[in-house]
Amino acid sequence: MRRGLPSADVAHALQIGSDAEVWRLRRQRMIDGQPAVVETSIIPVALAPELDRLVNRLGGSLYDLLARECGLEDEYEEQYLEVVMPAQQERRLLSIPPRTQVVRIRGLSMDKSGTPFDCFEQLYPATEFAFAISGSTSRHLFPTPGFQDWDV
């Protein structure tokens, strides 16, 4: 976990200024002791000012913690799914060989008032997972899949 300034694209998606600090939380998820998913969440510090201290209590869902401690409840999400080549650090975290593709899901979570509070990215080895997608509304608040600068 680290604190920093969002890229212009992340600031735009979160509807914050480029000088507004954000938390970047990266987690490696395991299945049967093997690396399975790399998750990154970018959350405005203004919405979760003590997240660095609260994350020590993160034994389960980040969203449960955000709802319980910060009042940030996930009411709506938009996501894009792409198959991409991961960066070297991501390959290492997933324990996959070079030239192995991953499924990258980038998303934006909003609360009941429509305030975006989490830009997230999840990486899965492409041959290890199957995905089902359904939905009933489309707001198109999130940038297009070609959106690349997802950094802090």
Side-chain angles (χ1 to χ4, degrees):
M1 179 170 197
R2 69 183 176 110
R3 189 174 179 150
L5 297 175
S7 68
D9 291 323
V10 169
H12 178 74
L14 288 171
Q15 299 176 9
I16 59 175
S18 59
D19 59 345
E21 289 190 321
V22 293
W23 297 113
R24 180 178 178 261
L25 177 63
R26 179 166 266 189
R27 297 173 288 164
Q28 179 188 48
R29 298 296 183 113
M30 310 291 264
I31 296 177
D32 295 330
Q34 298 299 314
V37 183
V38 174
E39 297 178 344
T40 304
S41 291
I42 303 171
I43 301 163
V45 170
L47 297 178
E50 297 183 22
L51 188 58
D52 58 336
R53 188 177 55 77
L54 297 172
V55 80
N56 293 329
R57 292 189 249 160
L58 185 60
S61 165
L62 173 62
Y63 284 102
D64 289 346
L65 177 79
L66 291 171
R68 183 178 63 250
E69 301 290 337
C70 305
L72 299 172
E73 294 187 50
D74 185 18
E75 179 70 19
Y76 177 78
E77 252 181 35
E78 288 190 2
Q79 298 180 6
Y80 286 104
L81 184 144
E82 304 174 89
V83 176
V84 298
M85 296 300 287
Q88 182 177 350
Q89 180 187 26
E90 294 157 345
R91 278 196 323 269
R92 184 183 53 76
L93 289 170
L94 290 169
S95 296
I96 56 176
R99 295 185 297 280
T100 300
Q101 293 183 316
V102 297
V103 173
R104 176 173 66 194
I105 298 173
R106 284 185 170 167
L108 181 66
S109 298
M110 288 152 273
D111 67 10
K112 291 176 186 172
S113 70
T115 300
F117 67 88
D118 180 24
C119 281
F120 62 88
E121 178 180 88
Q122 301 168 339
L123 299 171
Y124 302 83
T127 59
E128 303 294 322
F129 291 87
F131 298 88
I133 300 170
S134 66
S136 59
T137 62
S138 180
R139 297 183 191 173
H140 299 288
L141 300 174
F142 194 57
T144 62
F147 179 80
Q148 294 298 313
D149 192 3
W150 203 249
D151 204 7
V152 173

